[in-house]
Amino acid sequence: MQNLQPTVHVHLKRDGSVLVLGSEGSGFRWFPLTLGRLESTLAGAKAQGAVIEYSRDNPEADPRKPVELIYKIIMSYEMPIKLLKDPPFPLP
């Protein structure tokens, strides 16, 4: 049986808000995170050897300044990252 690597799904909204995919009941949904909560989530995920799957609104355009700054925070954790053109689940 194959071991699955823990994954954190992060989506950055155009306005700079952050969503993370989590489970609720028997399904998944996007939860908003503050920057502090994002950092604690990433620190815990890094300790587990997780990979980040990252998507953002309007990926064809240059990111707005808040999105760029949050992306730099994500990259500072030096975790493997997979850039996605579209989020893995529908956004709210």
Side-chain angles (χ1 to χ4, degrees), residues 49-64:
V51 64
I52 298 170
E53 286 194 350
Y54 163 86
S55 58
R56 68 177 174 91
D57 286 352
N58 198 12
E60 297 82 23
D62 288 337
R64 297 177 76 185

Side-chain angles (χ1 to χ4, degrees), residues 27-79:
F28 292 96
R29 79 175 191 92
W30 292 98
F31 293 91
L33 292 183
T34 63
L35 286 183
R37 187 72 181 128
L38 172 65
E39 292 194 79
S40 65
T41 297
L42 293 174
K46 182 174 182 170
Q48 295 178 6
V51 64
I52 298 170
E53 286 194 350
Y54 163 86
S55 58
R56 68 177 174 91
D57 286 352
N58 198 12
E60 297 82 23
D62 288 337
R64 297 177 76 185
K65 194 57 108 175
V67 173
E68 196 176 300
L69 294 173
I70 294 167
Y71 184 73
K72 286 180 181 179
I73 291 170
I74 292 169
M75 294 302 294
S76 74
Y77 282 84
E78 298 179 342
M79 297 167 60

